C-alpha cells in the first residue's frame, strides 16, 4: 500500500468509541488496560461499509465491515490492543493506525465461526508499512461484493506476493507461518550473537540459514 484509501462519504460514521466499551466486552487484564492508556489517544468508528453505504451487495460471510481509526500517543502499538477491540466488536474491522502525519493499516482475518453462530474466528494481526497520510487518497477498487472488498484490503495489508489460485484462508495461514518463523529466526540470531563456542556458532548459523531460506520460500 502506497497511499490511504478514500472511503465513501456515505459510509462515514465519525463516532468516538470509548475505551470502557472495549473493556466491557473484551475483559482485559490490568496490563492490557495500561497499554490502552499508554499507547492509545482515541479510537474512532470512522466508516461502516455495508450494502447501504457503498452500493455493493453483502458477501456470503462478510455482510459488512468497519473501519476504525486508532490514534496513537507514540509510534508503537501492541497488537494485543487491536485483538481486544476485535474481541469486543462482532464485525470484521480494518484499522487505520495514525501517529502525527503518518498512518498504516492493520487487520486480522475475521470470519464467523462455523461451530458457534454468535462467535468469530480471528487470525493473527497484520500491518502495512507506514505511509504519509497527507498524500492524495486513492479510490476503492470496483469489486463484486463487500466480501471481495474486505479480502482485497486484507491482502494489501498482508503484503505478500500472491500465489495462483491461493484463497484468503491459505494466504493468511502462509502469513502466520512466516510470522512464527521470523520470531524463531530473530531469537536464533540473538543466540548466535551471544554464543562463544565456535562449533556451536557454526551449528546455529547453519540452522539460521535454513530457517531464513524457508521464510524466503514462503514469501514467494
Amino acid at each position: 500500500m502506497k497511499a490511504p484509501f478514500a472511503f465513501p462519504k456515505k459510509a462515514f460514521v465519525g463516532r468516538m468509541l470509548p475505551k470502557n466499551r472495549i473493556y466491557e466486552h473484551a475483559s482485559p487484564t490490568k496490563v492490557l488496560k495500561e497499554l490502552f492508556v499508554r499507547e492509545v489517544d482515541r479510537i474512532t468508528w470512522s466508516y461502516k461499509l455495508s450494502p447501504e453505504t457503498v452500493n455493493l451487495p453483502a458477501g456470503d460471510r462478510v455482510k459488512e465491515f468497519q473501519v476504525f481509526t486508532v490514534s496513537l500517543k507514540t509510534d508503537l502499538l501492541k497488537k494485543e490492543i487491536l485483538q481486544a477491540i476485535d474481541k469486543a466488536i462482532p464485525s470484521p474491522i480494518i484499522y487505520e493506525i495514525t501517529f502525527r502525519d503518518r498512518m498504516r493499516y492493520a487487520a486480522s482475518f475475521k470470519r464467523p465461526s462455523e461451530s458457534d453462530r454468535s462467535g468469530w474466528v480471528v487470525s493473527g494481526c497484520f500491518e502495512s508499512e507506514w505511509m504519509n497520510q497527507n498524500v492524495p487518497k486513492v479510490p476503492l477498487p470496483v469489486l463484486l461484493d463487500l466480501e471481495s472488498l474486505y479480502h482485497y484490503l486484507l491482502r494489501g495489508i498482508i503484503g505478500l506476493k500472491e500465489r495462483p489460485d491461493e484463497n484468503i484462508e491459505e494466504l493468511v495461514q502462509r502469513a502466520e507461518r512466516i510470522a512464527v518463523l521470523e520470531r524463531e529466526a530473530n531469537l536464533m540470531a540473538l543466540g548466535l550473537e551471544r554464543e562463544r563456542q565456535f562449533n556451536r556458532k557454526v551449528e546455529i548459523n547453519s540452522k539460521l540459514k535454513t530457517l531464513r531460506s524457508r521464510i524466503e520460500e514462503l514469501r514467494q
Side-chain angles (χ1 to χ4, degrees):
M1 290 184 174
K2 302 297 183 182
F5 285 104
F7 293 102
K9 292 181 179 179
K10 190 176 180 181
F12 181 72
V13 178
R15 186 182 305 167
M16 293 286 291
L17 184 65
K19 295 175 186 177
N20 286 340
R21 182 178 175 188
I22 303 298
Y23 300 161
E24 289 172 4
H25 297 278
S27 302
T29 62
K30 180 182 178 181
V31 172
L32 185 54
K33 286 183 179 181
E34 290 173 352
L35 283 177
F36 268 93
V37 172
R38 185 166 64 246
E39 299 182 2
V40 177
D41 182 21
R42 63 183 181 278
I43 304 168
T44 306
W45 179 13
S46 297
Y47 298 95
K48 175 182 177 180
L49 285 86
S50 67
E52 297 76 23
T53 63
V54 294
N55 199 30
L56 283 176
D60 291 336
R61 294 192 298 178
V62 179
K63 309 303 180 184
E64 64 177 49
F65 65 94
Q66 321 304 323
V67 177
F68 283 8
T69 301
V70 181
S71 302
L72 302 182
K73 295 178 180 179
T74 74
D75 61 351
L76 298 176
L77 176 68
K78 296 289 187 182
K79 292 182 178 180
E80 290 86 348
I81 289 175
L82 301 185
Q83 291 168 343
I85 300 173
D86 267 311
K87 183 178 179 181
I89 306 298
S91 173
I93 303 169
I94 300 292
Y95 295 98
E96 293 181 331
I97 312 300
T98 66
F99 177 68
R100 296 178 180 170
D101 61 347
R102 297 190 300 159
M103 68 90 63
R104 73 196 311 175
Y105 287 106
S108 296
F109 176 50
K110 197 170 179 180
R111 61 177 176 81
S113 171
E114 296 178 359
S115 59
D116 179 4
R117 290 186 178 183
S118 63
W120 293 82
V121 177
V122 184
S123 75
C125 185
F126 308 104
E127 294 176 327
S128 73
E129 297 297 322
W130 285 104
M131 65 190 83
N132 187 337
Q133 64 174 325
N134 296 321
V135 300
K137 295 185 177 182
V138 298
L140 293 175
V142 178
L143 296 169
L144 294 177
D145 55 34
L146 284 163
E147 188 164 359
S148 299
L149 179 59
Y150 173 61
H151 290 175
Y152 173 88
L153 295 173
L154 190 59
R155 288 178 185 275
I157 293 168
I158 292 174
L160 287 177
K161 180 180 178 181
E162 294 186 30
R163 293 175 172 178
D165 302 321
E166 183 179 48
N167 62 37
I168 190 66
E169 285 89 352
E170 292 167 340
L171 175 64
V172 168
Q173 289 173 2
R174 182 159 61 97
E176 290 183 319
R177 181 57 179 163
I178 289 172
V180 170
L181 293 180
E182 285 182 333
R183 288 194 293 270
E184 186 177 338
N186 290 337
L187 288 174
M188 196 176 294
L190 185 61
L192 181 62
E193 290 180 6
R194 294 173 176 174
E195 182 60 54
R196 293 294 177 263
Q197 295 185 20
F198 178 76
N199 290 341
R200 280 287 296 148
K201 287 179 76 73
V202 172
E203 180 184 352
I204 295 172
N205 189 54
S206 177
K207 290 181 179 179
L208 184 57
K209 285 182 177 179
T210 300
L211 189 55
R212 286 173 172 167
S213 177
R214 176 56 180 154
I215 293 171
E216 190 58 32
E217 289 176 1
L218 287 168
R219 288 189 173 278
Q220 302 304 314

